[in-house]
Amino acid sequence: MKKFILGALAATLVASPLLAAAPAEAQQRREVTTVRHNDNNGRTVVTKRTVVRTPQYRNWRAGQRFDRRQAQDYRVITTYRNYRLAPPPRAHQWVRSGRDAILIDGRGNVVQVRGGAFR
């Protein structure tokens, strides 16, 4: 039993730096493109390109479709009174995107945007 516990403890010590670095890498998107073409001598040339892109955040407006993948620092706001927001109607919720508070309906459409609600 002691060997099992020591093995589990050693595994967590080894894996903890890897898990800490995972969220930073998850925010970047890597794209690998493979290009094949024939050169003048009849040989096939394979070129690989790796592009690292950071997510593109957007400014929200009423009537747009809300996508949480494009929201910076996305959170659902349950304590809306702390931020001086009105209670959301039924099937609506307040969410955070960067410094903005956004009211979205049940279908994911932006109803209202309160800019600068968070500092």
Side-chain angles (χ1 to χ4, degrees):
M1 187 69 176
K2 289 182 183 179
K3 290 182 182 180
F4 178 73
I5 293 173
L6 288 175
L9 181 63
T12 57
L13 290 176
V14 170
S16 61
L18 298 174
L19 294 175
E25 293 174 3
Q27 292 180 356
Q28 294 181 351
R29 195 174 87 198
R30 293 184 178 265
E31 292 182 9
V32 178
T33 306
T34 304
V35 179
R36 293 183 179 165
H37 62 278
N38 296 326
D39 66 356
N40 295 336
N41 298 331
R43 294 179 294 182
T44 302
V45 178
V46 178
T47 306
K48 288 189 178 181
R49 296 183 189 136
T50 302
V51 178
V52 178
R53 294 185 182 173
T54 56
Q56 299 295 319
Y57 301 121
R58 46 189 295 190
N59 296 326
W60 299 100
R61 293 190 179 101
Q64 291 180 331
R65 183 87 170 154
F66 183 78
D67 185 9
R68 71 184 223 182
R69 293 174 294 178
Q70 296 176 345
Q72 181 182 9
D73 194 22
Y74 170 78
R75 300 253 189 323
V76 175
I77 303 170
T78 56
T79 57
Y80 48 85
R81 287 191 178 107
N82 293 348
Y83 304 106
R84 297 182 180 180
L85 300 171
R90 183 177 295 217
H92 289 61
Q93 66 180 358
W94 285 103
V95 296
R96 177 179 180 165
S97 174
R99 292 184 174 185
D100 300 336
I102 302 169
L103 181 65
I104 59 172
D105 63 6
R107 292 178 286 161
N109 296 324
V110 177
V111 177
Q112 183 180 9
V113 178
R114 290 276 177 97
F118 305 97
R119 296 178 190 212

